[in-house]
């Protein structure tokens, strides 16, 4: 059994959190490959080291003094170094980085030093080998990861060094320069490493006990999701749930490596398991029929009605062409016999609403066009929705009993989600009602 672990910045913000990481790694011999972020916030209002590094770069660019900032960064690592009783010469590392700073130093190089230094410290603390990501994570000239080359390079390294700590967030370009991913990119490094070594599991350690069934800012103490498929995850994140980036999941999904989201502050909590599919027979018979609920505000529903519309061939196509001409992405198209609606994000029509309506009028000569603004879309996501008859009924009953007027209903053909539209004013209430409903098991 071989596990790849990635720890986020809040799990590596101080000596105290380093200690927790060590406990987690040592609790399981198969935890052999560890990817680290840069030190994150220790308390709310604190700065992430990566943010400090970007500030250093900005100061260099505008010829401002950056010594105070650089010292602040050094202090962060010195504190960890001291707390963990480390012996490596970290001052030499600082001096080396400092000596390379000038107007020509790339922003990616500077930003990457947060993970680089943290990996150095963590490697010593765990007694693992430090492996620089510039020595195995290759980008192509087009800026995309060269997966094959990176997989081969890391698996060769692991043959001789089975226990390693790797800095997240960056790799190397074909001409030898450091290149970072977008912010939060250490998740991607972890996933690439897991795929490279064909890990049995990729554990992504953060400061929450998994992905929550609903947004904790709306529902008090929501339950973490136990099992979620990649398809469900995509639905949830598209509708606003803050989960892993799609780029992150790609390498592990492709190799069917189970991905866990776990909590560094509660190491024994099960967390959330993400996989391509789950064996229904093995799943808890009492599992919840709703996997998660997420939603977004500020949509508009444009309803176009015309008597005997169903007999006019090409009517909807002509409408969609208008939206295409205005470059407006369409979210949903619920329809009935003599009318259909087009649901769009309000921000995409705000500036050209009148032009859009007049273009629709001239292309379609409808009887009426009606616009409802301030609409929230809420997705009820669950792979078990399709097997359970009567769920839609329960949802609508619950919403009706709570005086929530449903403006739109849509169910995807794959039946893993039901999307409803309600007034923005009912956004939070709807999510709470649905969450309470999701607590009921079948
Ligand atoms: N430290 C980087 C950031 O803050 C990358 C990461 O943490 O994943 O974005």
């Amino acid at each position: 059994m071989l596990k790849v672990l990635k720890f986020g910045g809040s799990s590596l913000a101080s000596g105290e959190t380093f200690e927790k990481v060590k406990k987690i790694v040592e609790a399981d011999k198969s935890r052999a490959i560890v990817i680290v972020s840069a030190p994150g916030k220790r308390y709310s209002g604190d700065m992430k080291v990566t943010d400090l590094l970007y500030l250093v770069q900005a100061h260099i660019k505008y010829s401002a003094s950056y010594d105070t900032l650089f010292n602040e960064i050094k202090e962060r690592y010195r504190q960890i170094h001291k707390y963990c009783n480390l012996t490596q010469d970290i001052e030499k590392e600082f001096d080396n980085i400092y000596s390379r700073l000038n107007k020509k130093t790339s922003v990616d190089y500077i930003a990457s030093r947060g993970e680089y230094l943290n990996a150095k410290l963590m490697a010593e603390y765990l007694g693992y080998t430090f492996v620089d990501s510039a020595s195995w994570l290759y980008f192509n000239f087009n800026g995309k990861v060269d997966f094959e080359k990176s997989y081969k390079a890391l698996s060769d390294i692991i043959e001789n060094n089975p226990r390693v700590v790797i800095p997240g967030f960056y790799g190397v370009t074909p001409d030898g320069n450091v290149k970072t991913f977008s912010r939060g990119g250490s998740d991607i490094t972890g996933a690439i490493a897991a795929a490279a070594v064909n890990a049995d599991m990729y554990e992504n350690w953060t400061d929450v006990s998994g992905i929550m069934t609903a947004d904790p800012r709306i529902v008090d103490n929501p339950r973490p999701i136990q099992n979620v498929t990649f398809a469900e995850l995509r639905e949830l994140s598209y509708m606003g749930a803050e989960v892993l980036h799609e780029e992150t999941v790609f390498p592990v999904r492709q190799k069917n490596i189970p991905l866990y989201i776990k909590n560094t502050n509660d190491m024994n909590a099960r967390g959330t398991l993400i996989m391509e599919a789950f064996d229904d027979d093995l799943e808890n018979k009492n599992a919840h029929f709703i996997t998660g609920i997420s939603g977004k505000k500020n949509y508009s529903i444009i309803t176009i009605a015309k008597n005997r519309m169903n007999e006019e061939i090409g009517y909807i196509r002509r409408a969609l062409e208008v939206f295409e001409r205005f470059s407006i992405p369409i979210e949903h198209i619920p329809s009935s016999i003599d009318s259909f609606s087009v649901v769009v994000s309000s921000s995409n029509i705000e500036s050209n609403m009148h032009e859009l309506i007049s273009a629709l009028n001239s292309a379609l000569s409808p009887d009426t066009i009606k616009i409802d603004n301030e609409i929230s879309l809420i997705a009820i996501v669950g792979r078990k929705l399709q097997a359970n008859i009567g769920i839609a009924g329960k949802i609508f009953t619950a919403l009706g009993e709570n005086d929530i007027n449903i403006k739109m209903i849509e169910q995807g053909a794959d039946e893993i989600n039901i999307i409803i539209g309600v007034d923005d004013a009912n956004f939070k209430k709807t999510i709470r009602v649905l969450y309470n409903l999701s607590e009921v098991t079948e």
Side-chain angles (χ1 to χ4, degrees):
M1 176 75 101
L2 173 59
K3 293 182 184 168
V4 170
L5 288 71
K6 178 260 167 178
F7 289 92
S10 58
S11 307
L12 298 157
S14 63
E16 288 85 344
T17 53
F18 261 56
E19 218 173 2
K20 291 185 190 172
V21 168
K22 187 171 177 152
K23 263 206 194 106
I24 291 166
V25 173
E26 288 178 348
D28 180 344
K29 281 208 161 44
S30 56
R31 290 178 172 151
I33 297 176
V34 176
I35 285 75
V36 297
S37 280
K41 295 183 184 184
R42 292 158 294 182
Y43 44 84
S44 83
D46 195 17
M47 291 281 281
K48 293 180 179 181
V49 163
T50 309
D51 289 323
L52 291 170
L53 287 163
Y54 280 117
L55 271 178
V56 165
Q57 196 272 336
H59 279 64
I60 297 174
K61 191 169 153 202
Y62 295 107
S63 309
S65 161
Y66 51 88
D67 283 0
T68 314
L69 278 172
F70 199 73
N71 282 336
E72 210 178 307
I73 295 168
K74 290 202 269 195
E75 275 312 313
R76 297 289 304 265
Y77 292 101
R78 282 186 188 130
Q79 188 261 337
I80 296 169
H81 190 270
K82 184 157 174 237
Y83 186 96
C84 298
N85 288 319
L86 304 180
T87 57
Q88 68 185 282
D89 191 352
I90 190 80
E91 299 299 325
K92 201 169 121 206
E93 293 284 354
F94 297 147
D95 293 345
N96 181 30
I97 295 168
Y98 190 80
S99 71
R100 292 188 56 173
L101 299 180
N102 61 54
K103 284 206 167 168
K104 292 208 189 90
T105 320
S106 77
V107 57
D108 285 20
Y109 169 79
I110 298 174
S112 72
R113 295 306 88 184
E115 304 9 58
Y116 171 87
L117 290 167
N118 234 11
K120 283 263 168 179
L121 296 184
M122 185 56 82
E124 182 188 344
Y125 192 43
L126 296 177
Y128 280 24
T129 311
F130 167 81
V131 173
D132 194 348
S133 291
S135 70
W136 70 273
L137 205 168
Y138 293 101
F139 286 95
N140 283 316
F141 276 112
N142 64 8
K144 298 250 156 36
V145 173
D146 185 337
F147 287 102
E148 287 318 310
K149 193 171 169 193
S150 306
Y151 289 174
K152 164 108 185 40
L154 186 61
S155 57
D156 286 352
I157 292 171
I158 297 303
E159 260 181 41
N160 300 317
N161 307 281
R163 297 186 170 271
V164 297
V165 176
I166 298 172
F169 192 36
Y170 70 95
V172 66
T173 62
D175 38 16
N177 294 317
V178 163
K179 177 177 161 55
T180 59
F181 291 109
S182 56
R183 297 299 304 267
S186 299
D187 286 340
I188 308 176
T189 313
I192 297 171
V197 302
N198 289 310
D200 297 289
M201 193 177 288
Y202 173 31
E203 293 179 343
N204 195 302
W205 291 82
T206 169
D207 52 8
V208 286
S209 295
I211 300 167
M212 299 299 144
T213 307
D215 188 337
R217 287 165 299 191
I218 299 174
V219 172
D220 284 339
N221 291 318
R223 178 172 45 81
I225 299 173
Q226 293 239 322
N227 296 336
V228 60
T229 65
F230 286 109
E232 288 174 308
L233 197 64
R234 173 151 164 70
E235 300 284 349
L236 287 169
S237 56
Y238 184 74
M239 287 305 291
E242 282 167 21
V243 287
L244 296 167
H245 198 281
E246 216 157 300
E247 228 182 311
T248 307
V249 299
F250 170 74
V252 285
R253 184 173 188 180
Q254 208 187 23
K255 293 216 171 180
N256 209 12
I257 298 169
L259 163 53
Y260 263 101
I261 310 288
K262 285 193 163 264
N263 189 351
T264 307
N265 301 315
D266 188 4
M267 66 182 270
N268 294 320
R270 180 185 178 278
T272 298
L273 172 60
I274 310 165
M275 296 225 303
E276 192 60 41
F278 291 93
D279 186 336
D280 281 339
D281 293 339
L282 293 180
E283 275 203 281
N284 183 352
K285 283 272 180 292
N286 290 323
H288 301 266
F289 59 82
I290 293 174
T291 304
I293 301 149
S294 62
K296 281 201 250 183
K297 284 174 143 182
N298 277 325
Y299 287 92
S300 297
I301 304 180
I302 302 167
T303 303
I304 298 161
K306 182 164 190 176
N307 197 21
R308 308 195 81 82
M309 177 190 291
N310 60 324
E311 290 166 10
E312 276 199 48
I313 308 284
Y315 196 79
I316 294 183
R317 176 185 53 74
R318 290 209 301 281
L320 299 189
E321 272 172 2
V322 174
F323 284 89
E324 188 178 353
R325 203 159 6 106
F326 281 75
S327 301
I328 298 169
I330 293 170
E331 303 289 333
H332 300 281
I333 314 176
S335 65
S336 59
I337 306 170
D338 284 337
S339 76
F340 66 93
S341 301
V342 180
V343 183
V344 297
S345 172
S346 305
S347 60
N348 288 323
I349 57 165
E350 255 153 30
S351 62
N352 50 14
M353 170 104 95
H354 297 296
E355 292 89 333
L356 175 71
I357 301 302
S358 84
L360 287 169
N361 268 320
S362 55
L364 303 167
S365 312
D367 297 338
T368 57
I369 297 186
K370 180 171 143 258
I371 303 184
D372 283 301
N373 290 316
E374 296 178 9
I375 299 292
S376 295
L377 294 186
I378 293 163
I380 302 136
V381 178
R383 60 192 177 282
K384 299 202 195 84
L385 292 177
Q386 48 180 312
N388 284 297
I389 295 166
I391 288 181
K394 283 185 192 150
I395 291 170
F396 301 130
T397 307
L399 294 175
E401 280 169 358
N402 284 280
D403 291 328
I404 297 169
N405 183 22
I406 303 171
K407 299 264 178 150
M408 186 207 99
I409 303 165
E410 192 147 91
Q411 179 167 37
D414 49 6
E415 289 183 61
I416 65 164
N417 66 356
I418 295 174
I419 292 182
I420 56 167
V422 298
D423 284 326
D424 278 348
N426 281 328
F427 176 67
K428 289 186 178 174
K429 184 175 174 190
T430 307
I431 291 186
R432 287 186 193 122
V433 168
L434 292 170
Y435 178 76
N436 289 338
L437 185 68
S438 82
E439 284 301 90
V440 182
T441 53
E442 267 301 57

